[in-house]
């Protein structure tokens, strides 16, 4: 291994450490607790080293969002792969989405609530974000209904899931009805 390859590997390792530490800190104490000073202390590198990887917190949030999008896409595909039939796939997708949002609140915030400097729904949207949307579209496109654009239907269904995730987390919806909400969403919105 050349010196350059070793340096690149070490740099990638530091970058992964910064992102993992930011995620951990955000999940434990919220994103307000994630500062470059605190991250530098936790990873035992100086702030200039941290800034050599990320220009600031915004880029760190973006990196967490991209990582989260890849994880969410894998979770959605994993949940729908075992489902038998369109209705079961949509229900599994909805549950997996809501479970991901509940189980990873700081990552979910990085993906959809905070400014990570990422472009959504544009040509320059990063691939992990496009792939997360594609994971939704794969199951939802087949139940959009006649004359309804699959992408548009997926956006509306996704918005409903996001609303459920956000309102549930904020304590605005009683948790005991979560399963019934998913069933209602699947039964009333998806043409199965």
């Amino acid at each position: 291994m050349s010196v350059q390859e070793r340096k690149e590997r070490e740099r990638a390792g530091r970058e992964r450490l910064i992102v993992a530490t930011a995620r951990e800190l955000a999940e434990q104490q919220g994103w307000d607790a994630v500062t470059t000073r605190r991250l530098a202390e936790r990873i035992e590198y100086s702030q200039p080293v941290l800034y050599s990887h990320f220009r600031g917190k915004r880029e760190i949030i973006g990196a967490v969002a991209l990582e989260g999008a890849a994880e969410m896409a894998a979770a959605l595909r994993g949940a729908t792969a075992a489902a038998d039939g369109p209705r079961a796939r949509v229900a599994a997708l909805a549950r997996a989405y809501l479970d991901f949002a509940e189980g990873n609140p700081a990552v979910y915030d990085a993906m959809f609530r905070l400014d990570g400097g990422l472009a959504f729904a544009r040509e320059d949207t990063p691939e992990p974000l496009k792939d997360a949307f594609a994971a939704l579209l794969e199951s939802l496109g087949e139940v959009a209904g006649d004359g309804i654009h699959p992408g548009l239907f997926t956006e509306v269904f996704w918005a409903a899931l996001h609303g459920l995730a956000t309102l549930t987390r904020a304590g605005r919806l009683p948790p005991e009805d979560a399963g019934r909400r998913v069933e209602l969403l699947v039964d009333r919105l998806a043409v199965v």
Side-chain angles (χ1 to χ4, degrees):
M1 173 184 307
S2 73
V3 172
Q4 182 63 28
E5 289 172 329
R6 181 182 54 79
K7 286 183 178 185
E8 287 174 14
R9 189 180 68 214
E10 288 171 357
R11 180 173 176 73
R14 278 192 309 272
E15 206 163 283
R16 284 190 304 275
L17 178 62
I18 293 166
V19 171
T21 304
R23 281 182 72 157
E24 179 184 317
L25 188 56
E27 292 292 358
Q28 291 171 352
Q29 299 176 30
W31 278 103
D32 287 342
V34 179
T35 64
T36 53
R37 179 187 299 184
R38 189 175 269 168
L39 284 174
E41 289 171 2
R42 285 214 174 180
I43 65 172
E44 298 179 345
Y45 282 102
S46 67
Q47 281 183 288
V49 169
L50 193 138
Y51 282 117
S52 75
H53 292 274
F54 299 99
R55 286 182 283 195
K57 183 175 175 177
R58 181 179 187 221
E59 283 190 3
I60 294 168
I61 290 169
V64 169
L66 293 176
E67 198 173 85
E71 291 168 9
M72 185 175 77
L76 297 177
R77 287 187 176 110
T80 58
D84 186 28
R87 187 189 186 292
R89 275 191 292 282
V90 173
L93 175 122
R95 284 190 297 276
Y97 184 97
L98 295 171
D99 288 347
F100 182 87
E102 181 182 0
N104 304 282
V107 173
Y108 192 82
D109 284 348
M111 293 167 65
F112 301 119
R113 192 179 67 79
L114 302 174
D115 178 11
L118 303 173
F120 282 83
R122 295 192 340 214
E123 193 65 36
D124 60 339
T125 297
E127 283 306 314
L129 298 178
K130 288 179 181 179
D131 190 50
F133 185 79
L136 291 166
L137 182 63
E138 288 162 10
S139 291
L140 295 171
E142 68 180 325
V143 298
D146 292 336
I148 299 173
H149 188 277
L152 184 62
F153 177 78
T154 299
E155 291 170 352
V156 171
F157 200 94
W158 172 29
L161 289 174
H162 177 70
L164 288 174
T166 303
L167 291 170
T168 300
R169 182 169 159 206
R172 304 295 197 270
L173 299 174
E176 63 271 11
D177 292 327
R180 290 179 52 211
R181 284 186 201 95
V182 168
E183 293 301 314
L184 183 62
L185 183 63
V186 172
D187 288 342
R188 299 292 185 203
L189 212 55
V191 178
V192 217

